Amino acid sequence: MRIDILTLFPAMFSGPFGESIVARARANDLLDIRLWNPRDFAVDRHRTVDDTPYGGGTGMVMKLEPLADCLEQVLATGPKVSTVWVTSPQGELLTHQMVLETAQSERLVIVCGHYEGIDERLHALYPTREFSIGDYVLTGGELPAMVLVDAVSRFLPGVLGDLNSALADCFSDGLLKYPQYTRPEEFRGLRVPDVLLSGHHEQIRIWRRKESLRRTLKRRPDLLDQAVLSPEDLRLLEQVRTEEQ
Ligand SMILES: C[S@@+](CC[C@H](N)C(=O)[O-])C[C@H]1O[C@@H](n2cnc3c(N)ncnc32)[C@H](O)[C@@H]1O
């Protein structure tokens, strides 16, 4: 996948994109990440990218001219895109579904906001879609852009050793994942649940499903309203509800 990120702070990406799974995906040509700085498109002596807000008030607003020139150069090359993603705390909350849909695209273009945000007319000029990573305000859109790229990357064939591990993670079936354990069998008096040591695949499958339902019920009951539950799930959920009373 080709990914273009417009940011005033490209150096922020070197750590997260230079380590671990994303770095390996880049080295294997599975991810072609290009960073663009709108400041390089500012034409005045001071290479200005922000200005004071019309109407007064605190802070600065990202100017349109350098950003539009930068974005137009980005869009003029490579595969066509139907969506320009823009970071914003006022955007749609990023969800598993949005990540999956984005992973189907050939290309991802992200504009990172900064200061008090971007001149609103950006949205009238380009097919933008704003996304938020949560109901809190960050200093800039760089971390949200990293979050989107990281989450999308996991669903690109070849990026994870086994794509099935992403497909078995939280949210893939609408539920939270069951608890996981590794060696040793006992640590400071805490034992791994016996069923996981039994080697009995069917019992392990049922235990995991039940614990997945238990976690979801306790931590994110809202997810249960949307999840597609089988008759077995409903039976297990009933057991969990009784046990938790
Ligand atoms: C300080 S924030 C601006 C907040 C803006 N004045 C407001 O109240 O909506 C600067 C930039 O960081 C990014 N940002 C901050 N919080 C974010 C979040 N939760 N999700 C996505 N982007 C965020 C956006 O690009 C935003 O334009």
Side-chain angles (χ1 to χ4, degrees):
M1 175 184 266
R2 171 156 163 188
I3 301 175
D4 298 273
I5 301 172
L6 286 74
T7 168
L8 295 174
F9 300 94
M12 284 179 71
F13 291 83
S14 52
F17 289 174
E19 296 284 343
S20 186
I21 290 170
V22 172
R24 199 176 59 222
R26 294 178 77 187
N28 293 337
D29 289 332
L30 298 169
L31 285 179
D32 172 10
I33 302 180
R34 304 184 190 197
L35 299 168
W36 304 77
N37 192 341
R39 198 178 288 284
D40 296 335
F41 293 77
V43 289
D44 64 313
R45 201 157 56 93
H46 300 291
R47 304 209 301 159
T48 311
V49 289
D50 59 333
D51 208 336
T52 52
Y54 276 120
T58 54
M60 301 295 273
V61 177
M62 274 177 76
K63 282 169 71 63
L64 266 186
E65 303 98 308
L67 187 54
D69 287 348
C70 180
L71 186 54
E72 273 156 29
Q73 180 151 332
V74 169
L75 297 178
T77 59
K80 288 252 168 302
V81 288
S82 54
T83 304
V84 172
W85 290 90
V86 181
T87 61
S88 166
Q90 303 177 24
E92 291 166 67
L93 267 185
L94 186 63
T95 61
H96 174 73
Q97 205 49 42
M98 285 158 74
V99 166
L100 270 188
E101 280 164 24
T102 308
Q104 308 302 315
S105 353
E106 204 178 346
R107 185 177 182 194
L108 174 57
V109 175
I110 311 173
V111 176
C112 301
H114 223 90
Y115 312 119
E116 284 307 311
I118 305 172
D119 186 311
E120 189 67 21
R121 290 168 290 184
L122 180 82
H123 306 296
L125 292 170
Y126 306 100
T128 57
R129 185 168 173 189
E130 293 177 282
F131 75 97
S132 164
I133 61 162
D135 289 344
Y136 39 80
V137 176
L138 302 161
T139 53
E142 284 70 20
L143 290 169
M146 291 174 207
V147 167
L148 179 58
V149 169
D150 190 288
V152 166
S153 302
R154 304 182 73 249
F155 291 99
L156 302 180
V159 168
L160 294 183
D162 181 2
L163 182 60
N164 285 328
S165 70
L167 298 174
D169 276 335
C170 285
F171 309 112
S172 280
D173 59 0
L175 302 178
L176 301 184
K177 195 170 174 169
Y178 50 82
Q180 300 264 41
Y181 300 85
T182 187
R183 272 179 275 272
E185 282 181 27
E186 184 172 331
F187 181 69
R188 297 186 185 166
L190 298 171
R191 277 190 57 75
V192 171
D194 286 338
V195 63
L196 297 179
L197 309 173
S198 69
H200 194 299
H201 297 305
E202 180 58 7
Q203 283 178 8
I204 292 172
R205 183 191 70 73
I206 293 172
W207 181 87
R208 286 182 163 165
R209 192 66 187 168
K210 188 171 172 182
E211 294 313 307
S212 175
L213 288 159
R214 190 190 308 276
R215 284 225 149 155
T216 311
L217 179 69
K218 279 184 165 173
R219 300 181 183 188
R220 292 290 306 277
D222 56 302
L223 294 177
L224 288 174
D225 298 336
Q226 311 291 331
V228 181
L229 300 178
S230 66
E232 179 189 73
D233 290 334
L234 293 172
R235 189 172 47 78
L236 292 173
L237 192 56
E238 206 38 56
Q239 286 177 14
V240 168
R241 285 203 164 103
T242 311
E243 287 165 17
E244 293 299 323
Q245 273 170 7

